[in-house]
Amino acid sequence: MSTADRVKSIVVDHLGVEADEVKPEASFIDDLGADSLDIVELVMAFEEEFGVEIPDDAAEKIQTVGDAIAYIDQHQGA
Amino acid sequence: MRRVVVTGLGLVTPLGADVETAWKNIIAAKSGAGTITRFDATDFQSNYACEVKPADHQYGFDASKRVDHKIQRQVDPFIVYGIDAAGQAIEDAGLTDMSEEERLRAGCSIGSGIGGLPGIESESLVLAEKGPKRVSPHFVHGRLINLISGQVSIKYGLMGPNHAVVTACSTGAHSIGDAARMIVDGDADVMLAGGAEAAICPIGIAGFGQARALSTAFRDEPWRASRPYDKDRDGFVMGEGAGVVVLEEYEHAKKRGATIYAEVVGYGLSGDAYHVTAPHPEGSGAFRSMQMAMRKSGLSLADIDYINAHGTSTPLGDELELGAVRRLFGDAIGGLSMSSTKSAIGHLLGGAGAVESIFCILALRDQIVPPTLNLDNPSESCEGVDLVPHKAKERKVKAVLNNSFGFGGTNASLVMKAV
């Protein structure tokens, strides 16, 4: 599975949204109904799934699904 | 004085996740007990309990009916049960579309005995294994006892009193009693009141097992284990679920043409001041709690037709409660029926008083009293009391008393009557 598909499946599971809503440009808060604590939890789930570390200042910049995918692709295996 | 009536009911129990299914199974003398499925309890003090059944079971619980997927993931099961039971009750009362003005005068009093024990247990393991940065950000508010009231108030926009009782196994009864008092005092016109519990997890079974509170002798026949008043009783069987009622000021209910199930007329509370787990040897706390509820009800002892007993199936507790009932009611005991529905659904701890109050209300509605299962050989002290063994019994039911007693020596009694 691609990074995008794995991110999508985590977001669907955590936020209880439909898979087709999880587009790269979708904002976690504005489009997918997340609150700040949901984002903390999502970041934790991404860290577990991809074995990356996402520090708080980087996590704050992850606002859309695409931001998450890009960060993970950039840092995975780094 | 403002009167308080019950206009909505909601139940999640091991014998059904809606009022009519649970009641039908209770009256049919079914048992909700079985070998624990949530985890492998083979090596535990007790390996059986009354679990709420999964959605695909014929009387199972489908969490997705009333609780968002996201919330289900974030909170402990006792909150999910509580939200669902509250939803059933407010739907039943026809109060899901209240105006803002009405919602300012509508509140919640839904408690729990222990709260989110399974989640406390599992997140503690996460902490130990993976460290603090892996603990869920929803850990705290997904486990706190007052978060049923919190979640329900947010879901339905209820801006009145937001309260949560924590009095162990008396929680459900105290929740209803306290909420009724808030309506009498004019703090609210509508209150969602009740209790929930979901503590069937390794630390819960181990803890109650070590406290020597659980039945342990019926591994091969769990449905025989909860046997209040029977000579072979050896402890309680853990149950889980939730019960929530809509309490409403009488004129408010009448004005909108609501279905009125019952009136809450008496509420009694007391403390044993004796021991953390053992009941007072003379049942004095139980006696005073019932006495206070009866005094406030304005009814005479002979008016009570049915008592839903605390009756947990422990060797000490059952007889002490029965002794207290005998002393309070005197000759009037001959005219009433008294049973323990814990024989069928186990002990719902903080949910018990609310669930059992609902059974009392349904007994009023249907003129039938639920049975005490497994009462094969009653203790000598049961002589002359109708404990409704084995089978439900049709009879006149105009006024009922519900007892709940908890660890810490906390007692609550409710008297309700037909309107």
Side-chain angles (χ1 to χ4, degrees):
Chain A
M1 258 205 299
S2 69
T3 303
D5 287 338
R6 286 156 76 192
V7 164
K8 189 186 260 192
S9 111
I10 289 172
V11 173
V12 166
D13 179 42
H14 280 68
L15 301 182
V17 290
E18 296 299 326
D20 56 11
E21 296 175 70
V22 190
K23 299 176 185 131
E25 64 275 21
S27 153
F28 290 115
I29 290 179
D30 296 334
D31 301 320
L32 301 175
D35 61 25
S36 60
L37 292 179
D38 295 329
I39 293 184
V40 175
E41 200 181 25
L42 277 174
V43 165
M44 263 172 51
F46 296 148
E47 288 180 326
E48 286 271 301
E49 171 73 15
F50 296 101
V52 295
E53 200 180 319
I54 309 178
D56 284 353
D57 56 342
E60 276 167 29
K61 294 191 189 103
I62 296 179
Q63 292 180 359
T64 65
V65 175
D67 294 343
I69 296 166
Y71 184 92
I72 291 160
D73 278 340
Q74 250 170 42
H75 293 81
Q76 205 175 14
Chain B
M1 178 159 128
R2 284 158 63 89
R3 294 165 65 187
V4 180
V5 293
V6 179
T7 58
L9 309 175
L11 280 178
V12 175
T13 78
L15 281 175
D18 64 89
V19 170
E20 298 311 326
T21 305
W23 181 236
K24 198 180 78 198
N25 284 331
I26 285 280
I27 292 302
K30 287 191 184 169
S31 165
T35 304
I36 291 172
T37 63
R38 299 281 160 73
F39 64 97
D40 180 2
T42 311
D43 297 330
F44 282 64
Q45 298 91 332
S46 180
N47 71 339
Y48 46 88
C50 294
E51 294 175 323
V52 167
K53 309 297 181 282
D56 58 1
H57 188 280
Q58 57 165 329
Y59 42 84
F61 171 61
D62 181 3
S64 58
K65 252 190 187 169
R66 292 187 184 83
V67 187
D68 290 347
H69 171 88
K70 193 170 100 173
I71 291 173
Q72 284 180 48
R73 281 191 76 265
Q74 295 173 353
V75 307
D76 249 66
F78 84 100
I79 297 178
V80 176
Y81 296 160
I83 297 172
D84 187 273
Q88 293 176 40
I90 198 169
E91 290 163 22
D92 184 32
L95 288 171
T96 47
D97 293 316
M98 284 186 278
S99 68
E100 181 170 350
E101 197 185 342
E102 286 173 303
R103 287 184 287 111
L104 282 163
R105 298 197 42 81
C108 293
S109 165
I110 308 170
S112 177
I114 312 182
L117 198 57
I120 292 172
E121 176 175 51
S122 60
E123 287 299 297
S124 297
L125 295 173
V126 169
L127 174 65
E129 284 163 16
K130 297 182 174 174
K133 300 271 281 183
R134 285 291 175 269
V135 171
S136 166
H138 301 289
F139 172 66
V140 174
H141 51 271
R143 319 273 103 64
L144 287 179
I145 281 176
N146 69 304
L147 259 290
I148 303 173
S149 284
Q151 291 277 5
V152 169
S153 70
I154 294 163
K155 184 169 181 187
Y156 296 102
L158 311 179
M159 294 176 279
N162 202 267
H163 181 59
V165 170
V166 184
T167 49
C169 306
S170 302
T171 298
H174 276 135
S175 299
I176 293 173
D178 287 1
R181 194 174 269 180
M182 288 174 199
I183 293 176
V184 171
D185 279 1
D187 303 339
D189 295 324
V190 171
M191 288 293 292
L192 285 169
E197 204 76 72
I200 302 174
C201 61
I203 195 77
I205 296 294
F208 279 103
Q210 288 298 85
R212 304 297 188 268
L214 295 181
S215 164
T216 59
F218 295 86
R219 285 187 167 242
D220 298 327
E221 300 169 295
W223 58 91
R224 294 186 58 224
S226 188
R227 41 194 318 113
Y229 312 107
D230 186 83
K231 282 178 178 164
D232 293 328
R233 69 188 185 275
D234 74 326
F236 78 77
V237 177
M238 181 102 86
E240 61 173 351
V244 176
V245 298
V246 173
L247 299 180
E248 192 169 348
E249 194 271 324
Y250 175 65
E251 296 297 337
H252 188 276
K254 216 169 72 172
K255 205 163 113 193
R256 67 182 189 89
T259 301
I260 295 175
Y261 287 101
E263 179 173 1
V264 180
V265 289
Y267 174 36
L269 327 72
S270 72
D272 276 1
Y274 173 69
H275 187 270
V276 284
T277 59
H280 188 280
E282 279 133 38
S284 91
F287 180 88
R288 286 180 289 108
S289 172
M290 288 187 278
Q291 187 182 44
M292 186 190 292
M294 284 306 303
R295 177 172 52 76
K296 291 200 283 193
S297 74
L299 299 177
S300 71
L301 293 161
D303 290 332
I304 298 295
D305 300 303
Y306 173 62
I307 299 177
N308 188 300
H310 184 58
T312 56
S313 189
T314 55
L316 267 179
D318 292 4
E319 301 218 12
L320 290 172
E321 181 183 12
L322 190 54
V325 169
R326 208 182 270 286
R327 273 189 293 132
L328 180 66
F329 282 80
D331 290 342
I333 203 165
L336 59 81
S337 298
M338 168 163 155
S339 68
S340 169
T341 43
K342 290 186 178 79
S343 59
I345 57 167
H347 189 354
L348 271 70
L349 309 175
V355 168
E356 292 161 14
S357 289
I358 292 174
F359 292 152
C360 284
I361 290 163
L362 295 167
L364 283 170
R365 184 190 72 178
D366 294 348
Q367 300 293 292
I368 188 167
V369 293
T372 304
L373 309 190
N374 299 312
L375 185 48
D376 301 329
N377 297 298
S379 294
E380 280 80 15
S381 62
C382 300
E383 189 65 38
V385 186
D386 173 24
L387 294 169
V388 202
H390 305 299
K391 275 187 178 167
K393 180 174 165 179
E394 289 183 31
R395 60 158 293 160
K396 168 184 79 85
V397 190
K398 293 225 156 127
V400 295
L401 170 72
N402 180 31
N403 279 335
S404 291
F405 313 133
F407 279 1
T410 174
N411 312 295
S413 302
L414 292 167
V415 176
M416 292 175 286
K417 70 177 180 82
V419 177

